[in-house]
Amino acid sequence: MIILFFFLAHWFLSLFSQTFFLHRYASHKMFKMNIFWERFFYTLTFLAQGSSFLNPRAYAILHRMHHAYSDTEKDPHSPHFVKDVWGMMIQTKNIYLNYAKYNIEPEEQFRDRYPSWPIIDRIGDSWITRMLFIGFYVWFYATFATQWWMFLLLPIHFLMGPLHGAIVNWCGHKYGYSNHDNDDHSKNSLPLDFLMLGELFQNNHHKKPNSPNFASRWFEFDPTYPVMKVLHWLHIIRIRKV
Ligand SMILES: [Zn+2]
Ligand SMILES: [Zn+2]
């Protein structure tokens, strides 16, 4: 029971950080917030993604490339130009590292503002930090697991951030239905996207990349959108008008 709770808490906190902070804020600037809240959510992303923390700048650059070149050869992670999901993850990782390590400069059009906090980026990207988080996950399971098979969940904790990215990038451009012709392979994979917090409405999202609500038809529901509305109402964020 404790393990299930820990797994779900890590899954949804990490995913929320990705969709709310890295995707909707850092990449698309769907809303504004002051420096205090920006750093609050930056820290939350670091703690929630833990051993697989993704640098917001590199994430934003890759994601802007993805929108500009969706399902073409210049897309950093289209499932239509790779052999399998592992090939896609490795290709994404290599392109990501180029920007995270400042090996190459992004194209002009992807340099728009993104949140930056170099000290957290450095701590989050260090092997010591990653190993400390992994040590914590293993300790937690060693202390609270009651069945041997529970340990099979550990690799998911280690790679939570990239794993969520891979599920969205693979399934969201391969399986499901389309509401719009976006001239790519983007799909809506789940009519009620509780498991991925709205991220699997790729077809709707590619049609209207700046819309804060990823759902568009009556039977679709994006669970992150009401959270954003509450944060807007509390004056923590200001959702941009589209
Ligand atoms: Zn996409
Ligand atoms: Zn996007």
Side-chain angles (χ1 to χ4, degrees):
M1 201 61 196
I2 296 175
I3 291 293
L4 181 70
F5 179 77
F6 182 70
F7 181 82
L8 290 177
H10 191 198
W11 178 276
F12 283 109
L13 257 183
S14 173
L15 187 57
F16 177 76
S17 306
Q18 186 159 149
T19 187
F20 175 80
F21 188 72
L22 297 175
H23 186 193
R24 303 183 200 218
Y25 181 68
S27 310
H28 288 291
K29 301 194 289 185
M30 285 174 190
F31 51 90
K32 287 183 176 172
M33 53 186 158
N34 65 27
I35 191 73
F36 170 81
W37 287 112
E38 183 179 295
R39 299 219 150 165
F40 174 85
F41 287 110
Y42 212 114
T43 310
L44 181 73
T45 303
F46 163 60
L47 294 174
Q49 289 194 320
S51 59
S52 62
F53 171 65
L54 297 167
N55 168 320
R57 172 183 175 271
Y59 186 101
I61 293 168
L62 253 71
H63 191 70
R64 290 166 187 171
M65 289 166 69
H66 169 63
H67 275 272
Y69 301 124
S70 182
D71 290 317
T72 69
E73 261 173 282
K74 286 172 90 177
D75 184 340
H77 45 62
S78 170
H80 301 280
F81 291 90
V82 286
K83 210 169 81 226
D84 52 34
V85 69
W86 303 112
M88 185 186 73
M89 284 179 84
I90 289 164
Q91 178 189 297
T92 311
K93 182 189 111 213
N94 292 337
I95 302 173
Y96 166 86
L97 284 177
N98 276 334
Y99 294 109
K101 308 265 182 223
Y102 291 83
N103 292 341
I104 51 174
E105 270 299 303
E107 281 177 45
E108 183 75 39
Q109 56 171 326
F110 308 129
R111 283 183 206 167
D112 208 4
R113 205 194 91 83
Y114 42 77
S116 163
W117 197 359
I119 180 80
I120 295 287
D121 291 346
R122 221 169 317 127
I123 295 171
D125 192 42
S126 100
W127 275 105
I128 299 171
T129 310
R130 297 199 194 275
M131 292 318 289
L132 283 172
F133 274 109
I134 287 177
F136 168 68
Y137 309 143
V138 173
W139 168 82
F140 196 93
Y141 271 65
T143 309
F144 296 107
T146 48
Q147 309 278 336
W148 67 268
W149 58 262
M150 290 176 172
F151 286 90
L152 300 177
L153 296 173
L154 270 171
I156 300 177
H157 291 281
F158 303 162
L159 286 174
M160 197 65 97
L163 211 63
H164 287 146
I167 293 171
V168 172
N169 299 332
W170 187 266
C171 301
H173 281 254
K174 227 173 151 65
Y175 313 121
Y177 62 95
S178 307
N179 292 330
H180 316 280
D181 181 7
N182 297 330
D183 212 15
D184 64 6
H185 297 284
S186 57
K187 298 276 190 294
N188 297 322
S189 308
L190 304 166
L192 291 166
D193 191 4
F194 288 107
L195 286 179
M196 295 307 293
L197 298 185
E199 285 287 300
L200 281 178
F201 290 119
Q202 284 291 306
N203 182 258
N204 295 345
H205 175 54
H206 278 266
K207 177 72 183 174
K208 291 188 213 152
N210 294 319
S211 165
N213 186 1
F214 288 5
S216 70
R217 294 173 70 186
W218 68 269
F219 55 84
E220 296 171 346
F221 179 62
D222 167 11
T224 305
Y225 182 56
V227 176
M228 288 165 67
K229 293 239 302 212
V230 170
L231 293 174
H232 178 89
W233 179 70
L234 291 172
H235 295 277
I236 290 172
I237 66 173
R238 294 315 292 163
I239 297 177
R240 266 171 48 194
K241 296 222 165 36
V242 262

